[in-house]
Amino acid sequence: MPSLDRSVLERLPTFRRMAGEDIDMLLKDAHPSRFSKNSEIFSQGEEARSFFLLISGHVRVVRTSAQGDKVIVRHINEGELMGIAIAMERAVYPASAIAIVECLVLNWPNSAWPSLKSKVPGFGTAVYRTIGQRFQETHDRVLEMASEQVEQRVARAMLRLMNEAGRQTADGMEIDFPITRQEIAEMAGTTLHMVSRLLSVWKDQGLVRGARQKIVISNPHGLMRVAERHRDE
Amino acid sequence: MPSLDRSVLERLPTFRRMAGEDIDMLLKDAHPSRFSKNSEIFSQGEEARSFFLLISGHVRVVRTSAQGDKVIVRHINEGELMGIAIAMERAVYPASAIAIVECLVLNWPNSAWPSLKSKVPGFGTAVYRTIGQRFQETHDRVLEMASEQVEQRVARAMLRLMNEAGRQTADGMEIDFPITRQEIAEMAGTTLHMVSRLLSVWKDQGLVRGARQKIVISNPHGLMRVAERHRDE
DNA sequence: CGCTGTGTTGAATGCCGTCAACGTCGGTGG
DNA sequence: CCACCGACGTTGACGGCATTCAACACAGCG
């Protein structure tokens, strides 16, 4: 007996093309759980026992180095997969996942993966497509970190946030969850000081509006021009 | 009739655990090809039609941005897979692959992938394990670029080279293929000037020996200590 | 023997990280 | 309710590291 109605999954792009009975089969092995704000869904280095689908809320994925430096790898949004280490034969989670707000999560034990993959081929394909997209994004980020200035990197981080979790409001695109300057810095590989300075400049130019733990991009196109501005222009 | 003997694959770690008949099945769909030094095996943005296994030689994988900036994503060594876009449902190659020296390559048409995956499960697993390892390495690199100084990044790039293509000689570990300062800079996200300066310093300290397009690491442990040295030590 | 690609080194510029001080918001407890 | 405190945010000043600019050396090759 599925613990969630199939209609919950049918709305998500990942599952839109799947047959109803396939979705039921997925749900048979899954169970939902709730995570409170700031709680950890899985932890870097911990043995990977499950993989997850975020039903509602927002999740931050963080990778920490041996020296304690942190980067925010990505944000996970409603309908996206996370913790899919098993699909790449990895024994431990490569990063930590933290609920930014109250979250509802579906999780499958890793033991269900092989049979799901063979019985619901569309699911395996969706997982591998997700991996491919994220891999490419990660490579883009290496290139970005290697070749662009702080200003461009921060602008790109903001645009990424907008695409991931932008919500249209009267003032512009608002990021749908609370985020600090420090966290934007950890997305762009810089310090909160630089982020604060840049946001101040952009506010004066009418590109963004900010408040405590809140960002609104009032002129996305203008911000894109900043992001694309190269060193010698 | 296989165009290569199975013994060629049996020696490679990727295939060591596979049954002989499975290897024969793989070889049935593959055909070998030769690439001369500096020729392109596949090209960034080009429609992905095949995936590859490097039999002998060395390959450089390069990603170029819209602005023309380049990074060396990784080096491919004998026995490693490359161009496996199909496994992640990607239509085009995300980077270019260039033969550093004369290379012998096995290639499969993408059309062979679905049946290979289902008929030789060990092969699919090997591919996905490879993807997982590289994904993790790429994440490590993002973290490294975000948090470490140029000196540490160059030291790490050298150590990566050593692990990927080190050959023990009387003087130390020698990188097995020609590589310029410019290319090391593209691995570490800096300029050839910085690389040249650092190598000079390290040569004086007895850590490395260099020549034109050649690097020998005479004291790997010492170089590791440089790589691990943090900002405030 | 000139030319091109590669490598080295010095000097100057400037970006950006660090240090420091202060301001503000929100939650908590008296 | 209000005072307090900690987390978050802003801004200025300074200094150092890394890029840039520049000049030169050297090797390999046609």
Side-chain angles (χ1 to χ4, degrees):
Chain A
M1 178 170 87
S3 30
L4 269 178
D5 192 86
R6 67 161 75 154
S7 67
V8 175
L9 293 198
E10 271 171 346
R11 280 182 287 111
L12 306 176
T14 313
F15 302 93
R16 189 153 296 156
R17 295 192 212 133
M18 269 187 216
E21 59 254 34
D22 283 348
I23 293 184
D24 285 345
M25 198 177 301
L26 286 177
L27 286 170
K28 197 149 51 69
D29 293 321
H31 50 95
S33 43
R34 204 190 57 80
F35 289 87
S36 60
K37 183 172 176 170
N38 293 326
S39 64
E40 202 174 45
I41 299 169
F42 55 86
S43 179
Q44 180 172 341
E46 168 195 13
E47 186 193 352
R49 299 174 187 280
S50 315
F51 56 97
F52 307 84
L53 175 71
L54 181 60
I55 302 294
S56 74
H58 289 280
V59 171
R60 184 167 58 238
V61 180
V62 179
R63 188 163 172 76
T64 308
S65 75
Q67 284 97 23
D69 296 300
K70 289 193 295 183
V71 289
I72 296 182
V73 174
R74 71 170 47 79
H75 292 93
I76 304 290
N77 303 295
E78 301 190 354
E80 292 185 350
L81 292 158
M82 57 184 169
I84 44 182
I86 178 69
M88 293 174 286
E89 312 286 326
R90 298 215 69 85
V92 301
Y93 296 114
S96 299
I98 290 145
I100 301 178
V101 294
E102 171 107 3
C103 284
L104 183 59
V105 168
L106 259 190
N107 83 61
W108 286 264
N110 273 359
S111 57
W113 169 249
S115 69
L116 279 183
K117 191 167 83 155
S118 57
K119 286 192 211 136
V120 191
F123 184 61
T125 303
V127 168
Y128 291 125
R129 178 177 293 120
T130 299
I131 290 171
Q133 287 166 352
R134 292 183 186 171
F135 205 170
Q136 174 132 1
E137 287 164 12
T138 307
H139 276 144
D140 284 339
R141 215 155 143 208
V142 170
L143 189 46
E144 182 185 317
M145 301 281 305
S147 62
E148 280 171 21
Q149 312 276 100
V150 166
E151 184 176 26
Q152 280 67 40
R153 299 209 305 270
V154 174
R156 281 187 201 278
M158 305 270 298
L159 292 169
R160 241 184 293 139
L161 275 172
M162 188 182 82
N163 289 326
E164 285 171 354
R167 202 164 44 79
Q168 185 64 256
T169 71
D171 292 334
M173 296 293 286
E174 176 173 347
I175 307 306
D176 202 25
F177 52 81
I179 183 162
T180 67
R181 306 291 185 266
Q182 173 66 39
E183 284 160 355
I184 296 176
E186 283 166 10
M187 294 180 67
T190 180
T191 62
L192 80 159
H193 305 274
M194 291 303 296
V195 173
S196 180
R197 280 182 233 278
L198 288 167
L199 288 181
S200 294
V201 173
W202 292 340
K203 183 159 70 178
D204 293 344
Q205 294 173 353
L207 298 178
V208 306
R209 295 164 52 77
R212 193 185 179 78
Q213 304 202 3
K214 197 177 116 177
I215 298 287
V216 181
I217 300 177
S218 27
N219 182 355
H221 187 259
L223 197 57
M224 282 179 60
R225 274 188 300 128
V226 173
E228 281 160 12
R229 189 157 60 204
H230 207 235
R231 266 188 294 286
D232 41 13
E233 290 189 22
Chain B
M1 181 170 86
S3 30
L4 270 178
D5 193 87
R6 68 161 72 152
S7 67
V8 175
L9 293 198
E10 272 172 346
R11 280 182 287 111
L12 305 175
T14 314
F15 301 93
R16 189 154 295 157
R17 296 193 211 131
M18 269 187 215
E21 59 255 34
D22 284 348
I23 293 183
D24 285 345
M25 198 178 298
L26 286 176
L27 285 171
K28 198 150 50 69
D29 294 321
H31 49 93
S33 43
R34 204 190 56 81
F35 289 87
S36 60
K37 182 172 175 171
N38 292 325
S39 65
E40 203 174 46
I41 299 169
F42 55 84
S43 179
Q44 180 173 341
E46 169 195 13
E47 186 194 350
R49 300 174 186 279
S50 315
F51 56 96
F52 307 84
L53 175 71
L54 182 60
I55 301 295
S56 76
H58 290 281
V59 171
R60 185 167 58 239
V61 180
V62 178
R63 188 164 172 78
T64 308
S65 75
Q67 284 98 22
D69 295 300
K70 288 192 295 183
V71 289
I72 295 181
V73 174
R74 71 170 48 78
H75 292 93
I76 304 291
N77 303 295
E78 301 190 354
E80 292 185 351
L81 292 157
M82 57 183 170
I84 44 183
I86 179 70
M88 293 174 286
E89 312 285 324
R90 298 215 70 86
V92 301
Y93 295 114
S96 300
I98 290 145
I100 301 178
V101 294
E102 171 108 0
C103 284
L104 182 59
V105 168
L106 259 192
N107 85 62
W108 286 265
N110 274 358
S111 56
W113 168 250
S115 69
L116 279 183
K117 191 167 82 156
S118 56
K119 286 190 211 137
V120 191
F123 184 61
T125 302
V127 167
Y128 291 125
R129 178 176 292 121
T130 299
I131 290 171
Q133 286 166 352
R134 292 184 186 171
F135 205 170
Q136 175 133 1
E137 287 164 12
T138 307
H139 276 145
D140 284 338
R141 216 155 141 208
V142 170
L143 189 46
E144 182 185 316
M145 302 281 304
S147 62
E148 280 172 22
Q149 312 277 98
V150 166
E151 184 176 25
Q152 281 67 37
R153 299 209 304 271
V154 174
R156 282 188 200 278
M158 305 269 298
L159 292 169
R160 242 184 292 141
L161 275 173
M162 189 183 81
N163 288 327
E164 284 171 353
R167 202 164 45 78
Q168 186 63 254
T169 71
D171 291 336
M173 297 292 286
E174 175 173 346
I175 307 307
D176 202 25
F177 52 80
I179 183 162
T180 67
R181 307 291 186 267
Q182 174 65 37
E183 285 160 353
I184 296 176
E186 283 166 10
M187 293 180 68
T190 181
T191 61
L192 81 159
H193 305 275
M194 290 303 296
V195 172
S196 179
R197 279 182 232 279
L198 288 168
L199 287 181
S200 294
V201 172
W202 293 340
K203 183 160 69 177
D204 293 344
Q205 293 173 353
L207 298 177
V208 305
R209 294 164 52 76
R212 194 184 177 79
Q213 304 203 3
K214 197 179 119 182
I215 298 288
V216 181
I217 300 177
S218 27
N219 181 356
H221 187 259
L223 197 57
M224 282 178 60
R225 274 189 298 129
V226 173
E228 281 159 14
R229 190 158 61 205
H230 208 236
R231 266 188 294 287
D232 39 16
E233 291 189 23

